[in-house]
Every structure is written in C-alpha cells, then in structure tokens.
Amino acid sequence: MILRTVGSVLLFISNWAFCLLSANAQNPNIYRTNYWYFGSNAGILFGNPIQDLSDGVINTVEGCVSISDINGVLLFYSDGVTVWNKNHLKMAPLDHILGGNSSTVNSIVAFPHPQFPNIYILITKEHLTSELTWSVIDINLENGLGKIISQNNIVAVNQSEAQSLTENCVRNNYITLSVRTKDEVFFLFTADEDSAKLSFIKNICPYSFINSGSQTTMKFSPNNNFLARNSSNGLSIYIFNDYDYELYKIADLSSQVWGLEFSPNSKIVYLTSSNSEVSKVDLSNFNVLNNNYLVEPINGVGTDIQLGLDGKLYLAYQYELNSFQNPNSYVNPDYINNLVSLSGKMNLKLPTFPSSWFSVDKYRICYSGKCPFDNYNFFISGGLPDSVLWNFGDNTPVVWGNSVSHIYAQSGVFLAQAIVYSNNQVDTITKFVFSKDNLPQNSFVTDTIICTFEEGAKLKFPEEHFTSCPSYGPGIVNGGYVYQPGTYYVIWDNGCSAPVTDTIHVICPDYYEAVIPDIFTPNQDGVNDNFSIELKGVEELRLYVYNRWGAKVFSTYITGLSGISQGINLWDGTFNGTPCTDGVYFYVADFVLTGGNTQSQKGTITLTR
C-alpha cells in the first residue's frame, strides 16, 4: 500500500514538475526540494495545490533540511541532531546523533556528493561549542532507507551559526561557506572529488572590526552572484565569484534581520525580522553599479523565508505559510496571507537547500581574476554554445569567443554581459564582476583599550585594510582579541598588492610597566654604562636620584613618550660632570600614564665601575 501511494504521488509530482521545469528552465535538482519537513511536525508536499502533511516527526525550533531524490521522492530529513528516513523512522545506526542543535539558525545543510550518487554529506553546527562538523549518509544501505556511515568529523571551530550552500560556477561540486564567530573571515569547504569527505579550501575576506555575533543567517542568490548575511549589526551584501571563490562587499545596511531569501532572478533580497516584519532590497543593475541600496518595508508577515520549487517565496508564521506569488516583481510581489494552513503545527524556520537549485538560468558566466591589470579569463558554463558576444561593462569594445580574456584597468564593480547563441536560440546573461583595490601602506597604531582582558579585548585596525584576510601574530586570538597589553602584529593580504603589516601597541589607561635595573656600570665599555629604563603605558617621566646622605645627584623630566619607550638612557653616574663614587643610590620615579593617571615607584640602584 505504501509503495502504491508513493508511486502515485511520484507520477503526479513528476508530471506537474515537468511542466514547471520546461517553463522556467530550472536546475533539475529542483525536484530535490519537493518535500519540506520543519518546525513542530510540520510538513508540505509541493503540487497544485500544496499539500499539508501530517506524517513528519521532526520537532525543531530552527534549523532543518529535507532532501528528496532527483525525481522528487523523499529520502530523509533532519534537525541537525537526528536523521529520519523516508518512512519517518530514525536512520540507522539508531544511536548516531549528529553534531548540530535544533535551536541553531542553520544547524544543518546537506547535499548529494557530485561523484557518488548514493552519498549525501551533512554539515552541522552546534551553537554551544561553535564546532562545524560533517557526516555522511549512504542512501543505498538498509534497503534504500539509508545509513549514517561517518559521523561528526570536525572541520572548523569558532564558527557562527551562519552556513550557506550552493553549486560552484561549473556545477560539478558544492561549496559551503561558514563564518568565524568574532570577525567576518569566511571559511569555504567543498566535497572531495574522489572520496566521501568534506575538505577546507580557503579563507575568504573581507574582515570586520565589529563582532557580528554568532546568531546569523546567510544565503547565496540563485545565480550565485550575491551573498547576503545578517547579524546583530544589520545586513551585509557581497558580490561572489563562484569560480575563484572570492568576495567583495558592496553594502552594509542597518536593518534588524532574522531570515532572508533572494528572488528567483536574484535581483531582490527579501528580509524578515524577529517580530515577523518583512522588507526588501533592490539589487537591480542600476542600484548595484551606483552603490544605491535601501531597505524598504513591504506588506507581509513571517519569521523565515524560503524559495519553493514553484518559483514562489514562502514565509513561516506560526501555524501557516504565507507567500509572495510574484517575487521577481519589486513593485508588486503579490503577497498572500495563510496560503497553506499547517493544521496547528508551529513553525519558525524553514528547510535550507543549495541556493543554485532554484536558478532559472541554463548558462552562467564564469571568470577568474580579482585585481586591476589581472588577466581575467571568461567562459560560459551550462553547455557548449555556437558563439558568444561579450561586453565587459567598462566601455571597452565587445569581443566574440566562447572563452575570452580581458583586463580591467581600475578597481570597482562591472556588469559583464554574454549574449549566447546556441541551436538557433539566443540567451543574454549577466554577472557582476569586481576588481579589488590595492592595499594602503603599513600602519603603526597605538591602541588604548580598557584593561579588562577576562574575555579578550578587541584590537583596532585601519578600516582600509578590511578588504583583506588577516594573519595574526603571536598573542592574538582569531578575531583580533588579545588578553594583555603589549605589541602585536597583523599582516593583511588581499592578493592584489604586497601584504601590509599593522603594528599595534596595546596600552591601558591604568596599566603601565617600568623595567628599572638594580645595577649599572658607567665604565665607558659600551655595556650598561647608563641608568636606563624601559617603559610602557607612560607619557611623562620625572626621575630623582639621591645618594645615601639624601643629597640629590640627578633629576630629569621627559615628556612625549607615546606609551612605548625602550632603553631610555637617563643618568651616566656623574654629578656636575664629576664621576660619583661606587655605592647604593636611591631613586624616585613619577609617571604620568597614557590615560592621565599618575603612579610613583621608588627603589635603589647600585653604581659600580
């Protein structure tokens, strides 16, 4: 009976989805998004109309995935902790628990291995430990119900809740992006081509001085050209090169965002807030090229938002799904309230899928290059066209060729266009291309911060270096945190110009160090000939030296020490030009600290020749 039911559903879905695919030229993987299981036992099956399902056993506060096969038949779903098979039973082995957490925004993402169709890789995030782990399912085992064959392999630590998943530009592998908790350094992972394994590929920047927090959401646009990420500080939008895996930040917008999703044509990003308000940002060609972005409230209610295989946007709200029926229209997205009633099943977060599965484009522009005067190499993925006419968006002549090269003479964002001729059809596709700025010169920074190092103190870096990736020197924890005053070094490299180094002297208003010797030997041998002091955190110094009878033999007043002073030569052991006798002398040192407070230090020093 179960087999007959599944078969009839498959026939219905296949016929309906075939019409959809033919009309929109979507990625065949779109069928994998056919079933959604989410929230407190909520579920839907796409069709006309969408069916409310009551057979799901998932009970998750936030993150979840729901994966079907290429024909739209359910395979498994998960909250990042437990995996359920298509019969809604725990996947074998029954005692295997994944490393996610159901209260993590993106507790899990999943994708089929590009070379082994029976293998699925699941990437999980636990918000308490900040570990990113991966596990593997072989869906052919256990008579087609699947089995977890590898579990909770740690691939990164100190990661935020943000994960985003898509296919690369040539669509022969999947790429996963994660973000480090205390800065905006991205970590990129892909599946190994010849094994069931997830591997770290590279770090991608820009960097952010602001700790954006751990509870964040992040998504690629369906065409892979954009990446949007929310945090406690607002919304950041980037241009993404899905061939070379590079990012270029184009906007930081002040907006309270909890969920986000792009329109199918990737020209609008829709935002939801924790109080269920909805807004949007126009990413039209004009706005991107002119750096013109605005968060505009619109009619709609939802906590999370996700594209469906029918090209419509769905908003999670309590016991229902609301929808934008025409999400490609910025003027009239056609909002419908309570499109699907979930029969009293609460929902907060919808399933997550690879963003490229929702792309409507057959062809895609791929390119390598990221710096002015680089040799940018362009080609078309998605098939072998008869011919291609290229416009690189920088007022240079158009060029014919399936694979072409170009040089951008300046940094910035450009709109590349390819007119593709194939089998008597013409497709026009575009892609935003960026060329990074060169880095400025090395910098010397005196960073005065509050002396509370229990949870680490955040270093301040020149903002013009934030387009690069930092390599932290000794004593700096990832994210730019230090736990004591001192001198620190950070090297920045954006791959376009020579790396630059920031030297940061960390000084606290109430902190100082005075290294004062207890002996010196003014015998003119060039070694330890002077009473010298090393200081940190001091702006001004007054020093008095007395002999054993209390007579003052030396005094000095020094200003403008700038907080860091090494080896200040003070007294040469003479009084009015006459060498003083060997013996013990007394000193009083008065300091004015960089924060304006004062300190005094007393002691003895032995003079011997």
Side-chain angles (χ1 to χ4, degrees):
M1 185 66 178
I2 293 177
L3 291 177
R4 287 197 298 271
T5 302
V6 171
S8 62
V9 170
L10 174 59
L11 178 63
F12 168 73
I13 292 300
S14 296
N15 290 337
W16 174 73
F18 177 79
C19 295
L20 173 70
L21 184 68
S22 300
N24 295 325
Q26 287 180 299
N27 188 326
N29 282 310
I30 192 67
Y31 301 153
R32 295 184 182 275
T33 70
N34 199 22
Y35 282 85
W36 290 10
Y37 287 99
F38 55 97
S40 299
N41 309 115
I44 61 171
L45 171 61
F46 277 88
N48 193 12
I50 295 174
Q51 297 181 41
D52 170 33
L53 301 177
S54 300
D55 52 359
V57 294
I58 193 171
N59 188 3
T60 178
V61 178
E62 298 183 62
C64 54
V65 295
S66 184
I67 301 296
S68 302
D69 68 14
I70 197 71
N71 296 308
V73 178
L74 178 67
L75 294 177
F76 63 88
Y77 56 97
S78 175
D79 61 357
V81 179
T82 303
V83 182
W84 293 273
N85 61 33
K86 62 185 178 182
N87 290 341
H88 309 287
L89 302 174
K90 288 185 178 180
M91 185 171 287
L94 299 181
D95 59 346
H96 277 35
I97 301 298
L98 302 188
N101 188 299
S102 63
S103 65
T104 300
V105 176
N106 294 116
S107 64
I108 183 169
V109 296
F111 61 92
H113 193 284
Q115 300 298 326
F116 310 113
N118 58 308
I119 296 297
Y120 288 79
I121 294 180
L122 289 68
I123 307 173
T124 50
K125 170 66 177 58
E126 214 292 332
H127 77 287
L128 295 178
T129 64
S130 299
E131 292 177 347
L132 196 69
T133 59
W134 58 272
S135 302
V136 179
I137 289 175
D138 187 335
I139 204 65
N140 285 350
L141 298 180
E142 302 293 318
N143 296 317
L145 295 178
K147 181 178 181 179
I148 301 170
I149 61 173
S150 182
Q151 176 188 10
N152 298 338
N153 304 281
I154 299 174
V155 72
V157 297
N158 300 320
Q159 300 296 295
S160 74
E161 296 186 14
Q163 291 190 71
S164 190
L165 177 64
T166 193
E167 295 166 286
N168 64 16
C169 192
V170 295
R171 306 177 198 183
N172 64 1
N173 205 339
Y174 289 85
I175 51 177
T176 301
L177 209 59
S178 179
V179 185
R180 193 158 54 200
T181 303
K182 293 185 176 181
D183 56 26
E184 235 176 65
V185 175
F186 294 83
F187 286 60
L188 188 137
F189 311 92
T190 67
D192 281 8
E193 294 183 0
D194 55 358
S195 65
K197 181 181 178 182
L198 186 76
S199 293
F200 169 76
I201 300 301
K202 64 185 294 188
N203 286 130
I204 313 176
C205 297
Y207 174 90
S208 174
F209 167 69
I210 299 174
N211 181 356
S212 55
S214 61
Q215 295 182 333
T216 63
T217 298
M218 181 169 64
K219 281 187 181 179
F220 290 106
S221 60
N223 68 1
N224 280 5
N225 207 181
F226 296 104
L227 177 77
R229 174 173 171 260
N230 77 312
S231 70
S232 58
N233 301 304
L235 176 72
S236 296
I237 303 176
Y238 310 80
I239 293 175
F240 181 57
N241 180 346
D242 56 350
Y243 185 74
D244 268 359
Y245 307 145
E246 295 285 344
L247 282 170
Y248 187 90
K249 184 184 284 189
I250 58 173
D252 277 320
L253 304 175
S254 178
S255 179
Q256 294 299 316
V257 181
W258 196 80
L260 61 88
E261 181 60 287
F262 287 86
S263 58
N265 65 3
S266 302
K267 292 187 178 297
I268 306 169
V269 58
Y270 290 85
L271 315 170
T272 60
S273 67
S274 58
N275 58 3
S276 303
E277 295 177 344
V278 185
S279 55
K280 60 186 177 181
V281 179
D282 186 356
L283 298 178
S284 63
N285 296 347
F286 176 85
N287 286 347
V288 174
L289 293 175
N290 291 277
N291 196 31
N292 180 38
Y293 307 102
L294 176 67
V295 178
E296 182 180 354
I298 57 173
N299 179 41
V301 178
T303 52
D304 192 29
I305 187 166
Q306 172 63 47
L307 264 174
L309 63 78
D310 55 3
K312 300 171 183 178
L313 280 177
Y314 293 89
L315 297 96
Y317 183 66
Q318 296 183 354
Y319 308 106
E320 63 193 37
L321 289 182
N322 306 324
S323 177
F324 288 116
Q325 297 285 288
N326 187 23
N328 283 337
S329 172
Y330 190 83
V331 176
N332 182 25
D334 190 13
Y335 173 74
I336 296 180
N337 195 59
N338 196 16
L339 180 71
V340 181
S341 175
L342 299 175
S343 303
K345 298 181 287 290
M346 176 71 76
N347 76 98
L348 180 67
K349 185 78 169 63
L350 297 173
T352 300
F353 304 98
S355 298
S356 57
W357 286 359
F358 300 96
S359 173
V360 298
D361 299 320
K362 176 182 179 181
Y363 297 107
R364 183 169 291 171
I365 295 174
C366 303
Y367 73 95
S368 62
K370 61 181 178 181
C371 309
F373 301 102
D374 274 358
N375 193 30
Y376 279 65
N377 295 303
F378 290 85
F379 65 96
I380 297 295
S381 71
L384 184 61
D386 298 329
S387 60
V388 183
L389 179 63
W390 295 89
N391 184 331
F392 301 108
D394 60 348
N395 297 318
T396 56
V398 297
V399 175
W400 287 93
N402 287 2
S403 298
V404 296
S405 297
H406 184 70
I407 293 176
Y408 289 101
Q410 60 186 15
S411 61
V413 175
F414 308 91
L415 182 63
Q417 180 189 78
I419 303 177
V420 182
Y421 298 85
S422 180
N423 296 325
N424 297 319
Q425 293 185 339
V426 180
D427 288 286
T428 299
I429 54 177
T430 60
K431 190 165 199 169
F432 288 105
V433 177
F434 59 82
S435 185
K436 292 186 175 182
D437 296 317
N438 287 329
L439 286 172
Q441 300 301 310
N442 299 342
S443 71
F444 177 95
V445 181
T446 298
D447 193 0
T448 302
I449 56 181
I450 303 299
C451 288
T452 54
F453 292 103
E454 289 81 2
E455 298 181 358
K458 184 79 170 179
L459 293 178
K460 296 178 181 178
F461 305 121
E463 291 189 10
E464 59 267 24
H465 292 174
F466 289 0
T467 59
S468 311
C469 275
S471 296
Y472 299 116
I476 305 178
V477 176
N478 285 341
Y481 283 79
V482 297
Y483 291 84
Q484 63 183 9
T487 300
Y488 300 93
Y489 304 91
V490 179
I491 299 175
W492 303 87
D493 186 1
N494 73 349
C496 288
S497 55
V500 299
T501 300
D502 291 337
T503 303
I504 307 102
H505 298 305
V506 177
I507 305 161
C508 297
D510 295 319
Y511 170 86
Y512 81 101
E513 289 184 15
V515 180
I516 302 177
D518 56 10
I519 187 172
F520 75 112
T521 57
N523 55 11
Q524 308 304 313
D525 65 352
V527 178
N528 198 26
D529 283 334
N530 292 278
F531 180 3
S532 63
I533 299 179
E534 293 185 5
L535 299 173
K536 292 182 180 179
V538 175
E539 281 290 327
E540 300 178 13
L541 164 67
R542 293 183 186 270
L543 178 69
Y544 306 92
V545 181
Y546 304 90
N547 62 21
R548 67 180 64 186
W549 297 281
K552 183 168 64 176
V553 297
F554 176 78
S555 66
T556 187
Y557 173 51
I558 303 175
T559 62
L561 295 177
S562 300
I564 300 291
S565 305
Q566 297 181 351
I568 305 173
N569 293 325
L570 299 171
W571 182 38
D572 61 1
T574 66
F575 177 69
N576 292 333
T578 302
C580 294
T581 59
D582 290 4
V584 177
Y585 291 80
F586 301 87
Y587 68 82
V588 176
D590 295 327
F591 308 110
V592 177
L593 309 185
T594 55
N597 296 332
T598 59
Q599 292 285 344
S600 293
Q601 189 167 326
K602 300 177 181 180
T604 62
I605 186 167
T606 299
L607 185 158
T608 180
R609 291 183 172 82

